[in-house]
Amino acid sequence: MGSSMATGVVVQLLFFGFQLVALLMSGAVLQVEAQGTWEILVENAGIASMHTAITRFNTAVLLDRTDIGASQLALPNEECRNDRQDESLQHDCTAHSAVLDLGTNRIRPLFVQTDTWCSSGQFRDDGTLVQTGGDNDGYSKIRTFTPCPGDGDCNWVETDVPLVEGRWYASNAQLPDGTQILVGGRNNPTVEFVPANGRGATYVPLIGNANDGQADNLYPYVHLLPNDQIFMFANQYSILFDWKTVTAVKQLPNLPGGPRNYPSAGSSVLLPLSAYIDYALPEVVVCGGATYGAFLNPGAALPATTSCGRIAPLSEGANWQMENMPLRRNMGDMVLLPDRTVLIVNGAANGAQGWGNAQNPVLTPVLYNPNGAVGRRFQVLTGTKIARVYHSTANLLPDGRVLIAGSNTHQFYTLTGYLATELRIEAYSPAYLRGNRPVIAYAPGELAYNERFEARVENANPRAIELNLVSAAYSTHSFGQGQRLIELNAAVPAAAGGGAYTVAANAPPSAVIAPAAYYMLFAVSEGIPSVAQWVHVG
């Protein structure tokens, strides 16, 4: 270990120790105990995954930028990428995208031509990943990846139809009509649709007005709500947005505590939607972020915030309820877990997003329980030894683990020194992966909206069985685009013999609740999830 890396590790340990003592004295931490385990799945993936998505074939799509020089992963069969517009390496025989087979942990290189730096994406209803924008020659590109089993040869396809306007640092959301809305981007305060179907780009004042001099309006938080409107958030401002008329319908109160989007990014999720209350009163939570000025003054190492805001945007008199995380964090990733809790992982305690702007990586995740009392919702978990800061990702896996990848605080691959480019891929196993897990012995592979269906569940307590659908998010830059969890109305189980139970439930009522797509169906018993079965809803 070099002297600079050793110094960084010591600083991080001292920082965490002092912070934890202060928290214990203040009583702000619910629990501090070893919770969950970490394992390295791949020692060298060859690329640092800036964008990660999990497919219905139990593979992970990994994607970095192209203008970064040679990666550590060769393209097969002496294939090379030739691009006269590439700003680093115009003849490149290495891959900048790959597929990880989650069953074997094998990496297969993929070929992507145009620059995907800080682009965005979302799954289409047929399971195809639509990937949009980027920098340089990728600025107006639409790419698709139709996944296949791990031993298949599926690859990226770059379409000939461009975006209406270029997108760099934008966010995507799947809509009930099967199209995707693309929101914002650097120097682009508009929205557009893919496919456009004749629609152009429309200016959105929220995005334009949220640029505060350091562009804290990038990668906006976009959540489709059960009333068919969009909760749209940039910087510390939010609106309800009608995607059909492409207009803002309500201005919501500002979130206190400074900017929350790139480059001062915290993270955000739409909390689980529940059939038991007819999917009413959705809530959004935003946690973490950087101090304003941290991006403009990287040497100052300004502290990140501990604050979280939670709002029910459709309620009368909607306002932010504030609380504090146990640890300061920006660049964290919030992941909805199948037991309806939220993992907050990755990030740094000082600085902001950008090359070389982060200091004091936060190695310790926390768990957020939305159903806990205010001030008692957080639990400190077992930490990793691998720093994940700028350009890191976190995705829920069908077996209940969380895939952690990426981290590159440098313009190019820098494999030595403090906060080196991270090519290892980890999995975090939450504490619920213990004991005798329930098993989905049968569930239909297709669910029509509002269809009454039955699942056969084994190894479960019949008095405590949940059926929860979780989408496959596109994780990038501290935001899981398209992430949502839907708690179905599981009926009282009926004994099916042999210790198994038949559980009946209704599929989501419409594409407003669950846009057509492939979802992971989990059976959860006493907080312990099964391995998910992929089902198509729509």
Side-chain angles (χ1 to χ4, degrees):
M1 179 182 295
S3 59
S4 61
M5 182 180 291
T7 301
V9 171
V10 170
V11 169
Q12 165 66 16
L13 291 174
L14 288 173
F15 174 85
F16 176 72
F18 288 132
Q19 192 175 38
L20 190 56
V21 169
L23 286 164
L24 288 169
M25 292 176 66
S26 69
V29 180
L30 173 60
Q31 290 178 317
V32 181
E33 52 187 59
Q35 292 285 339
T37 58
W38 293 83
E39 61 178 319
I40 296 177
L41 301 183
V42 180
E43 282 286 353
N44 186 346
I47 66 170
S49 190
M50 180 188 306
H51 318 284
T52 306
I54 309 303
T55 82
R56 64 188 178 97
F57 292 104
N58 296 334
T59 60
V61 181
L62 315 174
L63 192 61
D64 199 2
R65 57 181 287 216
T66 56
D67 284 355
I68 202 169
S71 74
Q72 301 290 299
L73 181 65
L75 286 166
N77 305 319
E78 299 183 350
E79 186 177 22
C80 296
R81 171 179 159 272
N82 294 295
D83 187 350
R84 286 184 294 178
Q85 296 185 62
D86 193 297
E87 297 176 345
S88 178
L89 187 61
Q90 296 181 0
H91 180 74
D92 186 358
C93 301
T94 63
H96 299 279
S97 182
V99 163
L100 167 65
D101 186 325
L102 297 167
T104 63
N105 292 335
R106 288 200 296 263
I107 295 284
R108 179 172 68 86
L110 299 176
F111 184 95
V112 62
Q113 176 68 26
T114 56
D115 192 10
T116 53
W117 180 19
C118 298
S119 49
S120 53
Q122 189 82 152
F123 282 103
R124 209 163 56 194
D125 60 351
D126 65 355
T128 296
L129 180 60
V130 178
Q131 214 276 337
T132 50
D135 190 28
N136 200 8
D137 60 356
Y139 189 52
S140 297
K141 269 292 178 181
I142 301 173
R143 311 167 194 85
T144 62
F145 179 83
T146 301
C148 57
D151 57 357
D153 61 357
C154 45
N155 218 317
W156 286 103
V157 174
E158 310 227 359
T159 68
D160 294 328
V161 178
L163 295 172
V164 174
E165 294 190 354
R167 303 281 162 179
W168 192 25
Y169 298 86
S171 294
N172 294 13
Q174 183 82 347
L175 296 174
D177 68 351
T179 64
Q180 295 183 18
I181 188 169
L182 279 58
V183 182
R186 188 175 292 280
N187 300 319
N188 190 346
T190 71
V191 301
E192 67 174 274
F193 300 87
V194 173
N197 294 336
R199 294 170 291 187
T202 303
Y203 176 75
V204 179
L206 167 79
I207 307 299
N209 296 340
N211 190 338
D212 56 9
Q214 57 178 17
D216 284 311
N217 62 348
L218 304 180
Y219 281 116
Y221 303 141
V222 182
H223 302 294
L224 176 67
L225 300 177
N227 70 338
D228 207 9
Q229 293 175 350
I230 289 173
F231 173 87
M232 192 180 294
F233 183 101
N235 196 317
Q236 53 188 316
Y237 315 112
S238 53
I239 58 173
L240 295 180
F241 185 82
D242 187 326
W243 62 270
K244 294 177 181 177
T245 61
V246 201
T247 57
V249 296
K250 184 178 180 180
Q251 179 80 39
L252 295 165
N254 296 346
L255 174 59
R260 307 290 183 141
N261 292 82
Y262 182 97
S264 299
S267 190
S268 176
V269 291
L270 173 68
L271 292 177
L273 302 174
S274 178
Y276 293 106
I277 56 172
D278 294 324
Y279 305 107
L281 293 178
E283 293 185 275
V284 173
V285 65
V286 177
C287 287
T291 300
Y292 179 79
F295 179 74
L296 298 174
N297 303 281
L302 298 176
T305 184
T306 61
S307 76
C308 288
R310 178 168 166 174
I311 192 170
L314 301 184
S315 65
E316 197 70 33
N319 211 338
W320 293 95
Q321 179 189 72
M322 303 303 296
E323 53 194 318
N324 287 308
M325 297 184 292
L327 303 170
R328 295 184 181 276
R329 192 185 307 261
N330 69 74
M331 291 177 280
D333 288 280
M334 301 182 76
V335 181
L336 290 168
L337 300 180
D339 66 349
R340 294 182 286 117
T341 60
V342 182
L343 180 72
I344 308 176
V345 66
N346 300 334
N350 294 77
Q353 289 183 318
W355 290 320
N357 288 349
Q359 294 189 29
N360 294 325
V362 181
L363 304 176
T364 308
V366 297
L367 191 69
Y368 176 76
N369 180 3
N371 297 317
V374 177
R376 304 286 294 173
R377 290 174 174 159
F378 291 98
Q379 182 179 16
V380 177
L381 305 176
T382 303
T384 179
K385 297 179 181 178
I386 300 176
R388 305 278 183 179
V389 286
Y390 188 43
H391 289 158
S392 57
T393 60
N395 297 74
L396 178 67
L397 296 179
D399 63 8
R401 297 178 299 169
V402 177
L403 189 77
I404 311 291
S407 189
N408 188 9
T409 65
H410 309 279
Q411 183 175 2
F412 304 108
Y413 280 13
T414 303
L415 303 178
T416 59
Y418 183 53
L419 295 182
T421 303
E422 188 53 68
L423 303 180
R424 289 172 290 183
I425 297 177
E426 292 177 285
Y428 173 70
S429 296
Y432 57 47
L433 298 181
R434 65 186 187 276
N436 199 17
R437 297 178 63 182
V439 174
I440 298 178
Y442 168 78
E446 295 276 345
L447 294 177
Y449 289 122
N450 213 31
E451 175 186 358
R452 190 71 171 172
F453 73 96
E454 292 183 345
R456 182 184 173 98
V457 181
E458 300 174 350
N459 300 329
N461 180 348
R463 295 184 297 276
I465 298 178
E466 300 177 17
L467 294 178
N468 297 332
L469 291 168
V470 187
S471 66
Y474 178 91
S475 175
T476 188
H477 290 76
S478 305
F479 182 47
Q481 299 181 17
Q483 186 173 200
R484 65 202 294 118
L485 188 153
I486 301 161
E487 181 186 21
L488 303 178
N489 59 343
V492 175
Y501 297 90
T502 298
V503 185
N506 284 81
S510 71
V512 175
I513 303 301
Y518 285 90
Y519 290 77
M520 293 174 274
L521 175 66
F522 288 92
V524 182
S525 178
E526 298 180 313
I528 303 174
S530 68
V531 173
Q533 175 174 314
W534 287 97
V535 299
H536 184 267
V537 178

